[in-house]
Amino acid sequence: MSQINGTMMQYFHWYIDPDLILWNDVKNKAQELANAGFTALWLPPAYKGTAGGYDVGYGVYDMYDLGEFNQKGTTRTKYGDRTQYLDAIKTIQQHGLQVYADTVLNHRMGGDGKEVAKATPFSQDDRLNPKGGQRDINAYTHFAFSGRQGKYSDFQWHWRHFDAVDYDDYSKEQNTIFLLDGKRFDDYVALAKGNFAYLMGCDVDFQSQEVREEITRWGEWYLDTTGIDGFRIDAVKHISAWFFPQWLDELKGYVGKDLFAVGEYWDDDINTLHWYLNTVENKMSLIDVPLHFNFHRASKAGGNYDMRRILDGTLMQERPTQAVTFVENHDSQPLQALESTVEPWFKPLAYALILLRAEGYPCVFYADYYGAEYEDNGRDGNRYQIFLPSHRWLIDKFLYARQNFAYGSQYDYFDHPNVIGWTRLGDREHPQALAVIMSDGSGGSKWMEVGKPNAKFYDLTEHIKQPVYTNEWGWAEFHCQGGSVSVWIQE
């Protein structure tokens, strides 16, 4: 998508109000989003979760129930019902945007019935060494989906389709993972805790051919039903990496078109991400977690971060065609499980970096665009009121510049610990140039080449009112304010 300067939006955050009916909301805003410069929307998990109408979508119960059946105390999901979802997708695509479906394959939760099975207990923190012998457990591993009554699929999940669970109704033992009889933890997964295949709920066994066939059948059904253009795949570090090339190839062959896929491998070690992309045969992109953490650290450093290093160790720098770049998401936002907030003052700088450079496929976070207000308990048990300001005014400016100016050769001026910049010289279809300069400390200036002699540039952000004129060689001194970014475009 970088060739056409594509930009996606993550169209939700963790605390979206269920009363909003998100599917209707995004349908009504499709034209507005297309006009702003977005080319794709990543929508939240659309199927029934164990918490029914309150489930954000990651506590997966029934992947065939898109808000159609009375299950888990509700027919609709948090975001609306099946008809509203399918209408939203059709309308979004009619306005020229792609739709990516959030896809949670790792686990199932909220089983309908208990089953007795033999299992071996492991500590949550050590999945290599059992902490006891095999014994009978009683766990919620039967998923019958009685509300759906076999419509779309008569497949029912039983204990043999999972490799581990974290609940035993007999012992009610805490902080324990039970590896089911005849199973092993999936291979080619993250190595934290010895083996990080198990995340939560009933862990889907990807070593099982029966399971793999069912997940492929579901994928084909989902593509037929929704007509989506690709997948955002949740928690890939917990799933055998070898599964995805097979799965994606089968689905692409089935629909006869290319499908975009981006995986969430939450790790800020670039070498781990290189290993993963190689292992999945480059069949998907990954979200650029190391870049997010660079933004997080820079925003917390308050001017004491070396901005020359802001792209170091990132997919954006080392694997740009497979990097989905982002500033914040639903997991990293305040009070969430992977909280690693990028402070509001730094977000305009971060968005300029992902939206106005040549590398990566940028993703704008709903709460950064529209703002958000919510309250929840923190890790310390205290309740907090959170206010996330909207950066829409500036992001819209950046999107305008991305669509009309961010093309052609890119010259970098990452030569000062606080003040950095770059220029884009334009191409045949977009001949006007662009210069970006930012500082995480005090204001500054930088001589940069834009390749346009005797041309007038103005600051699109309106932070600086006076125009800048290039000299006869196409160079000029561009300015920015402290803790700020200016985007200079050719008049």
Side-chain angles (χ1 to χ4, degrees), residues 2 112 152 165 286 323 411-412 435 483:
S2 59
D112 302 304
Y152 307 127
V165 297
L286 288 180
Y411 295 167
D412 285 345

Side-chain angles (χ1 to χ4, degrees), residues 91-105:
T91 302
I92 293 164
Q93 291 171 331
Q94 284 170 349
H95 286 98
L97 293 93
Q98 293 192 331
V99 176
Y100 307 145
D102 206 321
T103 309
V104 188
L105 303 177

Side-chain angles (χ1 to χ4, degrees), residues 188-210:
Y188 287 84
V189 295
L191 298 179
K193 307 174 191 291
N195 177 298
F196 214 178
Y198 183 85
L199 177 62
M200 62 178 71
C202 298
D203 194 68
V204 172
D205 179 14
F206 284 87
Q207 319 284 338
S208 160
Q209 184 174 342
E210 194 180 359

Side-chain angles (χ1 to χ4, degrees), residues 87-242:
D87 284 350
I89 292 171
K90 185 182 293 185
T91 302
I92 293 164
Q93 291 171 331
Q94 284 170 349
H95 286 98
L97 293 93
Q98 293 192 331
V99 176
Y100 307 145
D102 206 321
T103 309
V104 188
L105 303 177
N106 178 70
H107 51 268
R108 297 291 182 275
M109 302 178 83
D112 302 304
K114 289 182 284 192
E115 295 178 315
V116 177
K118 294 194 179 302
T120 303
F122 287 78
S123 164
Q124 274 277 8
D125 297 319
D126 179 5
R127 286 89 182 280
L128 298 180
N129 304 294
K131 65 175 187 176
Q134 190 179 80
R135 64 173 194 250
D136 282 349
I137 66 165
N138 196 13
Y140 286 91
T141 50
H142 182 207
F143 291 73
F145 312 121
S146 56
R148 182 160 53 80
Q149 296 186 324
K151 188 175 182 181
Y152 307 127
S153 170
D154 58 6
F155 187 91
Q156 295 190 11
W157 295 79
H158 292 278
W159 74 263
R160 68 179 181 276
H161 300 122
F162 305 111
D163 50 33
V165 297
D166 65 355
Y167 178 77
D168 168 25
D169 202 51
Y170 288 151
S171 67
K172 301 199 168 45
E173 191 174 335
Q174 300 292 304
N175 301 313
T176 302
I177 296 168
F178 300 93
L179 184 66
L180 292 158
D181 184 35
K183 302 291 186 175
R184 57 190 174 90
F185 293 114
D186 285 344
D187 55 4
Y188 287 84
V189 295
L191 298 179
K193 307 174 191 291
N195 177 298
F196 214 178
Y198 183 85
L199 177 62
M200 62 178 71
C202 298
D203 194 68
V204 172
D205 179 14
F206 284 87
Q207 319 284 338
S208 160
Q209 184 174 342
E210 194 180 359
V211 164
R212 295 195 302 273
E213 289 172 353
E214 165 59 14
I215 290 175
T216 301
R217 275 195 304 274
W218 171 82
E220 293 171 351
W221 170 85
Y222 202 85
L223 289 163
D224 281 341
T225 302
T226 65
I228 56 159
D229 303 287
F231 299 98
R232 179 268 183 189
I233 307 171
D234 186 63
V236 296
K237 69 192 281 184
H238 308 283
I239 298 169
S240 294
W242 48 258

